[in-house]
Structures are given as structure tokens and as C-alpha cells.
């Protein structure tokens, strides 16, 4: 199987390199519907590392194709955002299937390491600014060029989330309250930008020099850009460093400084707070989705069983923010 | 009617075993899942320990806001909120939601940052 994969990779990359020999083909991660591999190409004395991401038919009708992900990354790369360079894309009918190859970016993705290792002490001071700037560059992508993504207004997102929550018939008064509250909020004139959808530690590559790359574009869509700023402020994504509102490493003023260094969009703290509340609720619903997948026997694991008891963490963050002026 | 160890003591024996003897023997990925398993067992222990009294206290809180003892359920509170029967600005509602959520965290994760903050 690995041999076949090697051959298919070499065939795809013939257009890019004179002599293609794939070595050190290594499976990294994957789930039921997609895989990530790492490999090396040697041409002469030059060795370069690459990543293959491929999917076996979508897990959900809303999931975007890997080729669409690649196209988004290409557009984001053009805006100067830190994102791995796309080398090649394969069609779903090709021998490799729906897939793309990108340059491997060296660095760390594990949140606790980035937040605690001395190695990143200096990086952390500037990371909120860097993230703000990167997010702004993502939002600058001209949406006319983006194909295959759905337009989702704030109302669409809230309704979709509400439907998902209701499907489990597991009534949660705090969630009901938050849904009602969100539906009363004025999200202003609807803005439509490219949104990453899951920008946080875990989905960014960091090294001793700073933010190197933004990865994992599966949840990308077109919608209100402030949700990317709210999401990284959700308490769960601070991985225990709660005082640092942005991702466990920074403060909102620095996130916004970074953002406004690139974008003229005027964004208020209040708007970020509203999307942080939405994001907290969204994460809570995701916990429900994961734990019920385990409970119906679709995807058993201790992780998914345990995650059901993290719903209450999102509830306490919501009551803190909604009633007690919490951050 | 059952003998020692009690169910709590049995659970404690298992998670101490996992924590002290097993976790360090395993490769990272499995050790991570063993830690999750330990946390799950601790949740169960806390629930066995306080679950009944917390449920009873919650029932009293719900009777206080919903009136009827028969109607005093989480399900009905959720329904009344979603049907707009209780106003979002209702002070009592906010207090009730805070109290019930704190009780949940005392079992699910008493170490959670926001929970510890709200206890002060």
C-alpha cells in the first residue's frame, strides 16, 4: 500500500521536479475520512520535506474538498499570510484521490509546549500581534476568488449550532439562554470575508522565531470575520493560562494591534466579546457532538466519553461572561 | 449490603494503580489516554460522593424558580427559557444558572479556572 502511495506521489510530482524519488514516507495522523503523511524528496544533494493531505470521501456534506482547501491556502499565501506553500493538488478521480501536497514547515503545534517551554518565552510576547496580523491577511482574501465555500451569516451559524444542540435532546438551560441572547444581538451589517474557522493553538505552527504557519483549513467558510478573533479568546483555548485571554499567551489589545496593522476594519472589544460568547457556545456544542458520537457507538474512545463532561466548563464560562463581567 | 471496599474505594484503587504504576510505562499517546481515564474515574468518584445531595439542592433551587415540585426539572427550566416564559434579564434566573453550573463543575472539574474564580 505504501509502495503504491509512493508511486502515485512520484507520478503527481513529476511536473514539479526533474527527478522524483520519494523517501521516508511516514504516516502522521488521520481519522476515518482523511490522512496526513510526511515524506522527503531528494534531487541531487537536496532533500526537502513535504506533507500529503488526502481525504476518502467527505465525512459530512458540508466538509470542503482537500482540493478546495489547497486553493484557499494558495489564495491566503498570496496575501502574505503564513501558510505552507502548496506544491501540487490531486483530483478526487486521480490515483491519489482528493489530495494536496504542501511544503513541510518545521515547528511546534502542541499548545502546552508553546505556552510553557522557555524556548518560546520571547515568542509568546509577540504572538498575539502576529496572530492578529495573520488573521487579518486571511480576511483580505478576495472572496470572489474562493470557490466551494458556503456563505454563513451570523444568523446561519447560530441556527446551525442550535439545530445541532437540539438534535441530542439534552436540555441545557445555560445553552438555551445563550442561544436566545445571541439571537438578540445586533451583528451589524453582515460582513463577508474568508474565515479560517478554527484559528487557535493546535492549528498554528510556532518556532523560536514566531508564528510560522496556519494549518487545518477544514472549517473555513465565508462569513463574519470577527468570529476568528472571538474563537482564539475562548477560555478553553487558553489551555490553563486563563489570564492571557488570547490563546493563553496574549492580550486583546495586541491581537487588535496586529489586526489593524493589516486591515482597516474597525473592530471593537465588544464585538470580540460577542463572538467569544458564540465561540464558547460553539465549543460546548462540539463537545456534545463528540460525546454523542461515542455514545451511539459511532466513534468510541475515552477521549470522546470524557469530553461530554467538558460541556459544563463552557457553561461556567458563559455565565461568567454573560452575568459576572468575566473575560 | 455490600462489602468493603465501597464503590468509591474500588474506583480509587483503580485510578491510583493507573496513575502510579501504569502511566509511566506507556508511550505518550497511550499515557495521555490513561490520564483521561484517571480523570473520568475521579469524576465518577465525586459524583458518587456528592451527586445525590447536589441533585437534591438543585431540585430545591428549581422549585424556587419554577414553582411546582413536579415541574422542577432542568428540562423544564430549559423549556421555559427557550419559550421566552422567563425574561433574560430576570435576576433570579441568572442566580439559578450560576448556582446550578457551579454544582456541575464541582463534580465535572473542580480545578477549572473559572470555577475556582467564582468560588472566591
Amino acid at each position: 500500500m505504501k509502495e503504491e502511495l509512493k508511486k502515485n506521489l512520484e507520478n503527481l510530482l513529476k511536473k514539479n521536479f526533474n527527478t522524483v524519488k520519494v523517501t521516508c514516507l511516514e504516516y502522521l495522523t488521520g481519522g476515518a475520512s482523511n490522512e496526513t503523511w510526511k515524506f522527503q524528496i531528494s534531487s541531487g544533494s537536496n532533500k526537502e520535506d513535504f506533507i500529503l493531505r488526502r481525504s476518502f470521501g467527505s465525512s459530512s456534506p458540508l466538509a470542503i474538498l482537500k482540493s478546495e482547501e489547497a486553493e484557499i491556502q494558495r489564495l491566503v499565501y498570496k496575501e502574505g499570510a503564513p501558510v505552507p506553500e502548496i506544491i501540487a493538488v490531486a483530483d478526487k478521480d486521480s490515483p491519489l484521490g482528493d489530495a494536496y501536497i504542501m511544503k513541510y514547515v518545521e515547528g511546534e503545534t502542541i499548545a502546552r509546549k508553546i505556552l510553557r517551554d522557555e524556548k518560546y518565552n520571547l515568542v509568546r510576547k509577540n504572538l498575539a500581534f502576529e496572530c492578529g496580523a495573520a488573521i487579518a491577511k486571511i480576511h483580505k482574501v478576495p472572496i470572489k476568488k474562493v470557490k466551494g465555500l458556503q456563505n454563513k451569516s451570523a444568523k446561519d451559524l447560530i441556527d446551525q449550532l442550535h439545530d445541532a444542540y437540539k438534535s441530542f435532546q439534552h436540555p441545557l438551560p445555560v445553552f438555551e439562554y445563550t442561544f436566545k441572547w445571541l439571537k438578540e444581538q445586533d451583528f451589524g451589517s453582515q460582513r463577508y470575508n474568508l474565515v479560517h474557522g478554527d484559528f487557535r493553538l493546535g492549528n498554528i505552527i510556532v518556532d523560536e522565531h514566531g508564528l510560522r504557519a496556519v494549518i487545518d483549513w477544514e472549517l473555513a467558510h465565508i462569513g463574519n470575520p470577527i468570529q476568528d478573533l472571538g474563537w482564539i479568546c475562548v477560555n478553553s483555548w487558553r489551555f490553563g493560562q486563563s489570564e492571557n485571554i488570547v490563546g493563553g499567551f496574549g492580550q486583546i489589545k495586541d491581537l487588535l494591534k496586529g489586526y489593524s496593522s493589516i486591515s482597516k476594519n474597525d473592530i471593537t472589544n465588544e464585538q470580540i466579546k460577542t463572538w467569544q460568547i458564540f465561540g464558547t457556545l460553539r465549543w460546548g456544542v462540539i463537545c456534545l457532538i463528540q460525546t454523542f458520537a461515542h455514545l451511539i457507538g459511532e466513534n468510541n474512545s475515552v477521549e470522546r466519553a470524557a469530553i461530554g463532561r467538558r460541556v459544563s466548563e463552557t457553561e461556567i464560562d458563559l455565565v461568567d461572561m454573560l452575568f459576572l463581567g468575566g473575560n | 449490603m455490600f462489602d468493603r471496599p465501597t464503590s468509591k474505594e474500588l474506583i480509587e484503587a483503580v485510578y491510583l494503580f493507573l496513575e502510579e504504576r501504569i502511566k509511566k510505562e506507556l508511550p505518550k499517546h497511550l499515557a495521555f489516554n490513561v490520564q483521561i481515564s484517571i480523570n473520568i474515574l475521579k469524576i465518577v468518584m465525586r459524583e458518587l460522593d456528592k451527586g445525590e445531595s447536589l441533585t437534591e439542592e438543585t431540585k430545591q433551587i428549581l422549585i424556587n424558580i419554577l414553582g411546582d415540585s413536579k415541574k422542577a426539572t432542568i428540562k423544564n427550566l430549559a423549556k421555559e427559557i427557550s419559550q421566552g416564559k422567563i425574561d433574560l434579564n430576570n435576576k433570579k434566573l441568572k442566580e439559578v444558572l450560576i448556582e446550578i453550573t457551579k454544582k456541575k463543575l464541582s463534580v465535572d472539574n473542580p480545578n477549572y479556572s473559572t470555577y475556582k474564580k467564582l468560588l472566591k
Side-chain angles (χ1 to χ4, degrees), chain A residues 171-197:
Chain A
L172 293 163
V174 172
F175 279 18
E176 295 288 358
Y177 188 103
T178 310
F179 277 119
K180 261 211 139 50
W181 185 87
L182 283 168
K183 289 177 186 185
E184 282 182 2
Q185 300 312 301
D186 175 16
F187 286 92
S189 57
Q190 178 61 34
R191 297 187 229 205
Y192 284 107
N193 290 98
L194 174 66
V195 168
H196 179 278

Side-chain angles (χ1 to χ4, degrees), chain A residues 113 171-174 176-177 180-181 184 235 242 302-303 306 309 312-313 315-317 320 323-324 326, chain B residues 33 36-37 43 47 74-75 78 81-82 88 93-94 97 101 104-105 108-109 112-115 117-118:
Chain A
K113 286 202 177 149
L172 293 163
V174 172
E176 295 288 358
Y177 188 103
K180 261 211 139 50
W181 185 87
E184 282 182 2
N235 193 16
S242 302
V302 273
E303 257 183 280
R309 291 300 186 108
S312 47
E313 290 173 13
E315 289 182 302
I316 204 160
D317 283 327
D320 187 32
F323 307 149
L324 300 167
Chain B
N33 280 333
I36 292 177
S37 306
I43 291 174
E47 194 171 318
I74 295 282
K75 188 176 180 184
I81 296 170
S82 87
L88 294 189
L93 173 62
K94 295 183 187 184
L97 293 179
T101 307
K104 282 173 83 168
L105 261 306
D108 287 346
N109 190 358
Y112 193 60
S113 60
T114 310
Y115 174 69
K117 184 176 87 163
L118 295 197

Side-chain angles (χ1 to χ4, degrees), chain A residues 276-297:
Chain A
Q276 185 184 331
I277 288 170
F278 168 80
T280 307
L281 179 62
R282 179 189 186 215
W283 171 234
V285 174
I286 291 173
C287 289
L288 278 178
I289 292 171
Q290 303 238 4
T291 218
F292 275 93
H294 162 86
L295 292 171
I296 64 171

